[in-house]
């Protein structure tokens, strides 16, 4: 069996993977998403990462706390040529399948189509996959049940 770190690196060498982490409440989904970002940084696959997670100690890594689409778009465009990752915790709230015509869902879905152009890897985290907009399942993804 392959080393888990090598598997993660192989998955994220794809130009713009969208990885989905799901599982029950309190099982470490957010920590796992942050661990993925750390592995990608340590292996040189990305140079920086951002997310809507408050990180108290980014261990010297280039981390940007992003809580709205305007700031996310600015962050993506500012470093367009730099490989990066964005972690969206509680993705079911921000890319809600039950509200596909909602402004926030539409704009986030649009950004999902453009992550490759911005050299961005996208990590979505939610308790249930059925809450997240189906557009994000057309890409290669990983479902991790905790």
């Amino acid at each position: 069996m392959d080393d888990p770190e090598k598997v993660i690196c192989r998955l994220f060498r794809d130009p713009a993977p969208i990885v989905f982490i799901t599982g029950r409440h309190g099982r470490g989904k957010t920590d796992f998403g942050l661990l993925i970002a750390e592995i990608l940084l340590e292996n040189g696959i990305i140079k920086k990462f951002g997310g809507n997670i408050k990180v108290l100690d980014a261990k010297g890594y280039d981390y940007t706390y992003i809580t709205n689409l305007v700031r996310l778009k600015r962050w993506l465009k500012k470093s367009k040529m730099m490989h990066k990752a964005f972690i969206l915790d509680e993705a079911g709230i921000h890319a809600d399948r039950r509200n596909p015509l909602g402004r926030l869902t539409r704009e986030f879905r649009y950004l999902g189509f453009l992550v490759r152009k911005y050299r961005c890897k996208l990590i979505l985290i939610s308790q249930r996959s059925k809450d997240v907009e189906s557009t994000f399942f057309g890409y290669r993804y990983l479902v991790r049940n905790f």
Side-chain angles (χ1 to χ4, degrees):
M1 185 155 102
D2 282 341
D3 172 26
E5 190 169 314
K6 288 181 181 177
V7 172
I8 289 170
C9 290
R10 190 175 329 124
L11 176 66
F12 279 90
R13 280 193 175 91
D14 186 277
I18 296 176
V19 171
F20 187 70
I21 301 169
T22 184
R24 295 186 309 222
H25 178 73
R27 293 301 187 123
K29 298 177 299 297
T30 302
D31 290 338
F32 183 60
L34 291 169
L35 175 64
I36 289 172
E38 186 174 339
I39 289 169
L40 298 175
L41 286 160
E42 288 176 355
N43 286 278
I45 295 171
I46 62 171
K47 299 292 182 199
K48 62 194 271 177
F49 74 110
N52 64 338
I53 304 164
K54 285 190 177 181
V55 175
L56 300 177
D57 180 13
K59 297 183 181 181
Y61 297 126
D62 188 350
Y63 176 75
T64 305
Y65 179 55
I66 301 169
T67 59
N68 62 62
L69 278 171
V70 172
R71 190 158 184 211
L72 175 58
K73 287 177 192 176
R74 192 176 316 129
W75 180 77
L76 288 169
K77 291 176 182 178
K78 182 179 177 184
S79 56
K80 186 175 182 178
M81 299 310 289
M82 183 182 293
H83 292 276
K84 59 195 148 299
F86 181 75
I87 303 171
L88 182 66
D89 200 9
E90 301 298 341
I93 295 169
H94 307 289
D96 188 355
R97 177 180 288 195
R98 293 164 300 202
N99 190 12
L101 299 177
R103 186 177 126 324
L104 183 63
T105 302
R106 282 192 332 248
E107 286 188 44
F108 193 73
R109 181 176 52 225
Y110 175 73
L111 277 177
F113 289 120
L114 296 178
V115 292
R116 182 185 54 78
K117 289 186 181 242
Y118 296 122
R119 296 184 183 202
C120 186
K121 303 358 177 146
L122 187 59
I123 301 169
L124 303 174
I125 302 170
S126 185
Q127 288 183 22
R128 303 178 325 166
S129 59
K130 68 181 184 178
D131 293 336
V132 177
E133 167 60 40
S134 61
T135 302
F136 296 104
F137 293 105
Y139 296 87
R140 182 168 72 170
Y141 65 93
L142 165 73
V143 175
R144 169 77 182 212
N145 288 306
F146 287 86

